[in-house]
Amino acid sequence: MTEVATDEIVDVAGIGFGPSNLALAIALEEHNQSLPPAQRLTARFVEAKERFAWHPGMLLPGATMQISFLKDLATQRNARSRYSFLNYLQEHERLTDFINLQTFRPTRLEFQDYLRWAARTVSAAVDYGTTAVEVTAAGECFEIRLEGRASGVLRARNIVVAVGLSARLPEGVTASARVFHSHHLLPQLEALPPLRHNRFVVIGAGQSAAEVVGHLHQGYQDACVHAVFGKYGLSPATDSPYANRIFDPAAVDDFYAASPELRRQLMSYHRGTNYSAVEPGLIDQLYAHEYAERVAGNRRLFMHGASTVAMVEESNGEVRVDVTHGPTGLTETLQCDAVVCATGFRPGDVRAVLGEVAASVAFEAEGAQVTRDYRLVPTAPLPGDIYLQGSVEHTHGLSSSLLSNIAVRTGEIVRSVARSAAAARVDRSGDRAGR
């Protein structure tokens, strides 16, 4: 167990160390490279996981990224960064081989390896297996009480919260060994009790749901897979160059400056770029499988469109699922071995992380009030700034919880912290001169 030094005050305490705060650590390192020691920003990060991990439960064989590798941890902020995906390939002697793939989208497995490589390589103090259990404002700094592999109090002038997303199950559904969220798919399948009915139900209409359906259909050759979703059919993801401009760094400026009504319109127009939408190639693949089985008279894949799950009931080593078809009102009961809920995520609970300090920052109906450079708006004096990575879709747009903009976003946060630190140094030097 590590005891945090309580006499040290760092410039930045990062709560969470997923891709967002990993990108922040890289931005801090590169910011400090050209500065004298006295002007460098210091930081320490805490992460509840025992090691760096990025969606390990959905690293399905062959699954690819949905964004370009150029939207990595650093390139859009610093194209010469040693932490780019291209440099990762170079260091692993795969650059030429990757070029020969003629794709912008690596597999998720390779991209996670890139993230882990960056986490190992960056010069950042990270306490894994550690949870921030209490945040208080204590005079000149914040004090963060830690529990886990590191304990004690982390003192910081600023905090960057990057708690990520939490899996969301349908209302009334309780997780178990046979009922679980797609986020945990691979470990849950590995631990799944023996199959009795050779039948799976997948709830959801997005990319993850379609990927789970394809994975189960291919991996369990004797099993039936039933996909249940409210849409009449799966919708293709909007992936045109113009539509993808909603993820550009400039789009964040436009979205932040827009009126609440225009923000809602833009979100409605472009939901198909990220929510409840599936890559067209995967839709075609699933349809081809279903059609071929109908021709052969050996159905294993069933798509229940315009349908809802009316009940999920687990007992005696099986799960009963009632599926209601909206147009006809007819209900079909499926006795299955497992239910996979690909039903999305909810933002992390910022208030729970901040504890009593949350009472000193502004919240509105849609979430926290945040400045353009991702600072929470205080309602009472605080010793420093609190920055938010994620949970700001209502103010900064669709890219706020995605990988698309993390390189640029973390650069903006570092510049903001650096300005505050420089102003504080000037104030301290003025105080000394006055004395």
Side-chain angles (χ1 to χ4, degrees):
M1 180 179 289
T2 302
E3 185 74 22
V4 176
T6 57
D7 58 341
E8 178 189 12
I9 303 177
V10 297
D11 292 300
V12 176
I15 299 178
F17 198 68
S20 290
N21 269 354
L22 169 57
L24 178 67
I26 291 169
L28 284 166
E29 179 185 304
E30 294 182 348
H31 169 82
N32 287 337
Q33 284 172 350
S34 60
L35 297 176
Q39 295 180 22
R40 294 173 185 168
L41 298 174
T42 57
R44 192 177 191 99
F45 299 87
V46 296
E47 168 56 50
K49 296 186 180 70
E50 292 296 324
R51 63 170 187 159
F52 187 91
W54 177 70
H55 301 309
M58 279 294 287
L59 294 178
L60 305 181
T64 60
M65 298 293 293
Q66 292 179 268
I67 61 171
S68 166
F69 68 83
L70 293 171
K71 293 185 175 183
D72 57 23
L73 296 167
T75 295
Q76 288 185 288
R77 175 184 52 80
N78 175 15
R80 296 181 178 87
S81 173
R82 65 174 295 218
Y83 295 100
S84 69
F85 182 78
L86 288 177
N87 189 55
Y88 154 81
L89 291 173
Q90 180 70 31
E91 291 204 4
H92 288 76
E93 300 180 351
R94 292 203 305 271
L95 178 57
T96 299
D97 297 322
F98 183 84
I99 292 171
N100 288 336
L101 284 175
Q102 300 184 42
T103 182
F104 275 91
R105 297 184 177 187
T107 64
R108 283 193 208 139
L109 187 65
E110 183 173 36
F111 204 80
Q112 178 182 244
D113 191 61
Y114 156 67
L115 295 174
R116 285 182 169 173
W117 165 81
R120 292 192 306 269
T121 306
V122 68
S123 58
V126 185
D127 294 304
Y128 288 102
T130 301
T131 303
V133 296
E134 184 180 28
V135 179
T136 56
E140 62 178 337
C141 66
F142 295 101
E143 291 188 349
I144 306 166
R145 185 164 62 85
L146 307 178
E147 288 183 358
R149 282 166 52 183
S151 62
V153 175
L154 172 59
R155 305 174 75 206
R157 296 181 181 90
N158 304 281
I159 298 174
V160 181
V161 179
V163 292
L165 304 170
S166 59
R168 178 171 51 203
L169 293 173
E171 187 175 352
V173 173
T174 303
S176 70
R178 293 186 180 274
V179 181
F180 47 87
H181 194 274
S182 59
H183 187 62
H184 309 293
L185 179 71
L186 294 181
Q188 291 286 154
L189 289 179
E190 187 175 341
L192 191 66
L195 305 188
R196 292 174 53 187
H197 299 281
N198 281 318
R199 186 178 293 118
F200 294 91
V201 170
V202 180
I203 306 171
Q207 179 72 18
S208 293
E211 288 178 355
V212 171
V213 169
H215 179 72
L216 294 174
H217 185 260
Q218 181 178 359
Y220 293 83
Q221 294 289 324
D222 296 325
C224 294
V225 181
H226 292 258
V228 183
F229 44 89
K231 294 184 174 183
Y232 202 82
L234 297 176
S235 300
T238 306
D239 194 28
S240 70
Y242 286 115
N244 275 344
R245 283 182 169 174
I246 197 67
F247 301 111
D248 288 355
V252 178
D253 290 324
D254 291 339
F255 194 90
Y256 190 85
S259 67
E261 181 182 0
L262 180 54
R263 289 178 184 176
R264 286 190 290 270
Q265 287 179 354
L266 291 172
M267 290 292 291
S268 176
Y269 291 151
H270 294 285
R271 286 189 66 82
T273 59
N274 187 53
Y275 294 113
S276 296
V278 183
E279 290 190 350
L282 181 53
I283 294 176
D284 293 343
Q285 185 182 65
L286 292 175
Y287 188 88
H289 286 318
E290 186 184 25
Y291 184 80
E293 290 175 359
R294 293 177 65 188
V295 172
N298 182 25
R299 295 289 302 277
R300 290 199 305 115
L301 180 58
F302 300 85
M303 309 298 278
H304 300 266
S307 300
T308 58
V309 171
M311 185 187 71
V312 176
E313 183 178 79
E314 184 175 359
S315 63
N316 300 322
E318 65 180 22
V319 187
R320 173 184 166 179
V321 180
D322 287 348
V323 178
T324 300
H325 183 239
T328 63
L330 297 177
T331 296
E332 178 182 1
T333 297
L334 301 171
Q335 304 289 348
C336 61
D337 298 287
V339 176
V340 184
C341 303
T343 44
F345 299 85
R346 59 172 56 89
D349 189 348
V350 179
R351 285 187 170 104
V353 174
L354 296 179
E356 67 178 50
V357 172
S360 298
V361 296
F363 286 86
E364 50 196 11
E366 294 180 298
Q369 289 188 23
V370 189
T371 63
R372 174 58 186 83
D373 57 0
Y374 303 95
R375 288 177 293 122
L376 294 181
V377 175
T379 57
L382 289 171
D385 290 317
I386 302 171
Y387 296 82
L388 203 52
Q389 296 221 65
S391 301
V392 293
E393 189 175 85
H394 60 294
T395 55
H396 288 67
L398 278 165
S399 65
S400 67
S401 61
L402 306 175
L403 291 171
S404 298
N405 207 33
I406 59 173
V408 175
R409 179 173 70 236
T410 52
E412 293 171 349
I413 292 173
V414 168
R415 286 195 296 274
S416 179
V417 173
R419 285 193 297 268
S420 297
R425 283 194 297 271
V426 170
D427 289 343
R428 287 195 295 271
S429 64
D431 289 343
R432 286 194 297 270
R435 289 196 295 269

